[in-house]
Amino acid sequence: INAEYGGLFLLVIPEWKCKEGAVGCNSTVALCEMDRSLWEWVNPDKTMVSYFDLQCSIDKASLAISLFFIPGCVVGLLLNGQLSDRFGRKKVLIVGMICDICCNIGQALSTNFILYSVFICLSGVPFM
């Protein structure tokens, strides 16, 4: 679920503008075709694209988010059934919910895309 929302949010390219005095900046040219020093985001913390500077790799990053979530789910499938049999479903569910909350906070506080991806992977574990 988190990976789906993350993937949809990632696809949003926020508003950008040419820096003052930037020669060669053109709003009709794709961002990847211009030098990064010529333009800036209007609201740099609004989406993951602007926050992590992913404007040239949106498709790859969106796919990576989905792919990082799946291994977490596989680990969750292997662990949660065994843990539920041993400790009871209610306890495992509560611990899983707490872990998911911690992973979501980690995603929100991530300072780079790799750390964000690690928290995406870990957030898949309690879901299964």
Side-chain angles (χ1 to χ4, degrees):
I1 295 174
N2 291 348
E4 295 299 323
Y5 291 130
L8 292 175
F9 187 58
L10 181 63
L11 296 175
V12 176
I13 298 178
E15 188 178 351
W16 62 277
K17 65 180 180 180
C18 294
K19 289 184 178 178
E20 284 192 38
V23 178
C25 184
N26 186 347
S27 61
T28 61
V29 176
L31 289 177
C32 296
E33 296 175 13
M34 285 190 290
D35 188 86
R36 180 65 175 94
S37 63
L38 297 176
W39 57 273
E40 62 188 8
W41 299 113
V42 174
N43 294 315
D45 295 333
K46 192 170 185 176
T47 70
M48 289 190 308
V49 172
S50 59
Y51 189 76
F52 295 128
D53 257 346
L54 299 173
Q55 65 276 1
C56 295
S57 58
I58 293 173
D59 295 336
K60 293 176 186 174
S62 181
L63 177 64
I65 287 175
S66 297
L67 291 177
F68 288 134
F69 186 71
I70 292 169
C73 291
V74 170
V75 171
L77 282 170
L78 297 172
L79 286 179
N80 291 338
Q82 299 295 323
L83 292 174
S84 294
D85 289 343
R86 185 172 210 171
F87 301 110
R89 282 185 244 159
K90 187 174 181 180
K91 290 177 185 176
V92 172
L93 183 62
I94 290 171
V95 170
M97 288 172 39
I98 292 169
C99 290
D100 188 48
I101 290 169
C102 292
C103 289
N104 288 332
I105 291 170
Q107 290 173 32
L109 299 177
S110 295
T111 55
N112 60 49
F113 190 70
I114 294 172
L115 187 60
Y116 179 80
S117 299
V118 168
F119 283 115
I120 285 286
C121 182
L122 292 174
S123 69
V125 174
F127 272 109
M128 296 296 162

